[in-house]
Amino acid sequence: MNGMECAAKGSGARCGGAATRLCARCEAVAYCSLAHQIAHWSRHKHECDRLQQQMKSVEVLNDFPFTFSREATFQVCVKQEGRCSFLSHRGLHKVGMWMHECGCGASSASFDCLGLNNGWDLPSVLCPCGPNSLVLEQLHSWRDYYRWRSIPLDSPVALVLHWPLTIYHAAHLVGITAVKPEISEKLYIHYLGPEKELLQLVVFGELLALFPGVDIHIELVGPAIPPERDGEKIHISKYACCNEDECECKIAIKNTVLGTESGSSVTLQLWPGFYHDRYRDIVKDSSPHLIIAPNGGIAAYSSWLPSIELVEKIDVPAVFTDYCEEACHLAASCIKTISDRPLKLPVQLNPFRQPIAVEDSVLLLPCYSNCFLFGI
């Protein structure tokens, strides 16, 4: 409870102290005083029953196969552990791409320096730095992925691999697989609203293993991209490296990844601005097979509405993720104001959500990056 924000904050009188008074029905929100709780009821009553239902799934949300799961979920939520201390215990605090996984690292982030030069800063046994066997069956969970890549369950790499694995999972949900004829050679993805992942772009190299033999083109579109990088193309043809000099990932001059001998790679192109403003520029050469908007926050930003209208019009599968089920519910409600059509993918838990809780959430519901998703 310590550190929770009053749910009525910003809606009138100043909060008088810590938010320690729970809503007795849903237990998902807290207030600094009885007066604030009463004043907020006119708004909260519309969400209270829904939040009460969502609170019943807390154990499912926190269910990960890792040896550090309790430390990264329950202990973060109750303030016994923090992201900084979690990373410090593993020698990763303020190191390379990991520095953007905690509050003190994120505050010094600059999107002018995109994350391409970093490796894992881990021994090879803990990371997917080398050649792999081909994906023979669809991966349904972190346990499947770690088993396939021969990574032990004490490795923290899932904290950043949730970006490419969420793309993989979203593609499968809408029927896109590496064996489908229309994407057997090229897969075009429009990726909307990237922020922190711009500082961790090297992990998108894992898509080489997830879609073997396929050239993947990802158009990254969003206001966080620096204007001076407009149109820039970034080619990734290998995995992020481990910290061992003798490892194959360092020795191999040519890319030795199975299935990429034909020269397949991941190409990222940068487009600053909003999707609806840049769409014509982006599709001059190709149309997308998939649109994905990770941690979209659709209900929080009115700038999404014209982009949603565009997505509806071009009728390409689009998957949106957010930090909790409630955020996805609010996003779906916003979309209903534009579209008469039901969701093509109902709101559902993402098995490849980031396995460390977000600190200082406004709800007592555990929140995770890329936690829930839905599709239109």
Side-chain angles (χ1 to χ4, degrees):
M1 275 296 295
N2 191 17
M4 276 288 291
E5 274 192 2
C6 175
K9 184 180 178 184
S11 57
R14 182 182 292 181
C15 292
T20 56
R21 185 181 183 87
L22 280 181
C23 169
R25 289 181 67 195
C26 69
E27 298 186 339
V29 295
Y31 298 92
C32 65
S33 66
L34 176 60
H36 269 200
Q37 184 172 0
I38 293 169
H40 193 245
W41 176 246
S42 60
R43 285 181 59 190
H44 181 58
K45 66 184 178 185
H46 301 295
E47 64 185 10
C48 189
D49 288 346
R50 196 170 61 243
L51 290 174
Q52 186 178 19
Q53 284 301 115
Q54 292 174 24
M55 284 294 282
K56 291 176 181 175
S57 62
V58 165
E59 286 189 20
V60 178
L61 288 180
N62 290 340
D63 184 21
F64 294 99
F66 306 111
T67 57
F68 56 78
S69 294
R70 182 174 169 81
E71 182 187 355
T73 60
F74 173 77
Q75 290 183 6
V76 169
C77 291
V78 300
K79 309 284 186 186
Q80 290 175 4
E81 186 69 77
R83 283 172 161 252
C84 293
S85 56
F86 179 91
L87 293 167
S88 292
H89 298 160
R90 289 155 182 83
L92 298 171
H93 190 230
K94 293 190 176 180
V95 172
M97 62 181 162
W98 301 96
M99 76 171 66
H100 314 299
E101 288 306 322
C102 62
C104 62
S107 62
S108 61
S110 167
F111 293 124
D112 293 326
C113 305
L114 301 183
L116 285 164
N117 301 320
N118 299 318
W120 285 111
D121 291 296
L122 289 167
S124 62
V125 69
L126 292 181
C127 54
C129 61
N132 57 286
S133 57
L134 294 174
V135 188
L136 297 177
E137 296 178 4
Q138 186 179 341
L139 306 173
H140 295 282
S141 66
W142 279 122
R143 190 181 292 279
D144 287 353
Y145 171 78
Y146 269 53
R147 187 183 294 128
W148 166 58
R149 287 299 250 143
S150 303
I151 306 170
L153 290 171
D154 60 339
S155 167
V157 292
L159 266 67
V160 285
L161 282 171
H162 69 106
W163 300 122
L165 266 295
T166 294
I167 292 174
Y168 167 84
H169 183 63
H172 273 270
L173 285 177
V174 301
I176 295 172
T177 65
V179 296
K180 214 157 186 189
E182 64 266 34
I183 70 132
S184 59
E185 293 181 357
K186 289 187 188 295
L187 171 60
Y188 290 95
I189 297 170
H190 289 184
Y191 191 109
L192 315 189
E195 290 184 354
K196 184 164 69 175
E197 57 268 50
L198 293 171
L199 304 163
Q200 301 170 329
L201 290 178
V202 68
V203 301
F204 286 89
E206 189 61 10
L207 292 170
L208 295 166
L210 294 164
F211 294 94
V214 178
D215 266 332
I216 301 172
H217 294 253
I218 303 179
E219 313 292 344
L220 296 157
V221 197
I225 295 168
E228 64 272 17
R229 313 297 287 265
D230 193 2
E232 184 177 326
K233 284 187 178 179
I234 297 160
H235 299 282
I236 299 176
S237 57
K238 62 179 184 177
Y239 304 137
C241 290
C242 68
N243 61 4
E244 294 175 16
D245 291 338
E246 300 305 310
C247 181
E248 208 170 337
C249 70
K250 296 270 179 58
I251 296 167
I253 297 171
K254 291 183 179 177
N255 192 0
T256 57
V257 183
L258 282 176
T260 64
E261 291 83 358
S262 60
S264 66
S265 66
V266 176
T267 301
L268 309 170
Q269 189 159 12
L270 306 176
W271 303 91
F274 295 118
Y275 188 54
H276 52 274
D277 292 328
R278 301 308 309 270
Y279 178 74
R280 285 183 183 281
D281 299 326
I282 297 167
V283 295
K284 278 178 181 167
D285 298 324
S286 66
S287 295
H289 298 105
L290 171 69
I291 297 167
I292 186 163
N295 300 325
I298 289 171
Y301 302 101
S302 58
S303 54
W304 271 112
L305 294 178
S307 289
I308 301 290
E309 287 176 346
L310 173 62
V311 170
E312 283 275 306
K313 191 166 24 173
I314 60 180
D315 201 26
V316 166
V319 176
F320 300 83
T321 80
D322 224 312
Y323 290 96
C324 67
E325 187 176 357
E326 181 64 6
C328 285
H329 171 84
L330 295 173
S333 297
C334 286
I335 289 169
K336 275 183 192 165
T337 64
I338 300 169
S339 168
D340 296 329
R341 288 181 285 181
L343 296 179
K344 288 180 182 171
L345 279 178
V347 175
Q348 57 194 276
L349 190 62
N350 176 12
F352 297 107
R353 62 200 177 278
Q354 187 185 44
I356 183 169
V358 173
E359 293 175 303
D360 299 324
S361 164
V362 122
L363 296 174
L364 278 167
L365 278 166
C367 291
Y368 296 95
S369 182
N370 285 327
C371 190
F372 279 84
L373 56 82
F374 65 92
I376 61 174

